[in-house]
Amino acid sequence: MENNVNRITQAEQYLLDKIRIGNAQAWSEFVDRYRGRLLSFAKSKLIQSQDAEDAVQETFVSFIQTLQTFRGDCALETFLFSLLRRKIIDTYRSQKASHICLIQDA
């Protein structure tokens, strides 16, 4: 039996299909659904609130850029958090942070 726990749901697939054809309402719903959790995580890892906001915004931009090739092999939230983690790491690199921050879920 195939394990579908880490795959996207039918509702998420429907939403993605709408986003792929340019439905602005679907995009707004998508952002509203995930923004809060992403922002909370980013704020827990970045010192400046504005850096956290920027990282989340850049995460959504990255998602749009990869949307056509996203296959749904993992849950949407998992994919978004992996993008966000990379953005947080990029923020630290660009600031040449002098301390190490472990990018993990607490």
Side-chain angles (χ1 to χ4, degrees):
M1 184 169 161
E2 186 177 333
N3 183 357
N4 288 327
V5 172
N6 294 325
R7 300 183 79 91
I8 63 173
T9 65
Q10 286 181 333
E12 290 171 330
Q13 185 61 57
Y14 178 80
L15 190 60
L16 288 178
D17 291 343
K18 291 288 189 182
I19 292 168
R20 283 184 174 120
I21 61 170
N23 184 304
Q25 183 177 353
W27 175 248
S28 180
E29 181 181 331
F30 179 81
V31 170
D32 289 347
R33 181 179 294 179
Y34 295 104
R35 185 180 183 282
R37 285 175 284 192
L38 293 170
L39 187 57
S40 179
F41 180 78
K43 284 182 176 182
S44 76
K45 302 299 179 189
L46 295 167
I47 297 168
Q48 299 292 323
S49 182
Q50 186 59 48
D51 289 340
E53 292 274 353
D54 291 346
V56 170
Q57 183 173 344
E58 291 170 16
T59 297
F60 285 119
V61 170
S62 291
F63 181 75
I64 285 294
Q65 292 170 340
T66 61
L67 182 59
Q68 294 307 321
T69 59
F70 179 72
R71 297 184 318 245
D73 293 338
C74 64
L76 271 176
E77 188 170 66
T78 300
F79 186 67
L80 288 169
F81 273 92
S82 69
L83 292 173
L84 178 58
R85 284 182 184 96
R86 287 186 216 130
K87 296 301 175 190
I88 291 169
I89 290 168
D90 290 346
T91 299
Y92 276 101
R93 285 181 180 154
S94 71
Q95 294 174 347
K96 296 183 181 9
S98 60
H99 64 282
I100 297 173
C101 176
L102 299 176
I103 307 298
Q104 299 177 3
D105 288 317

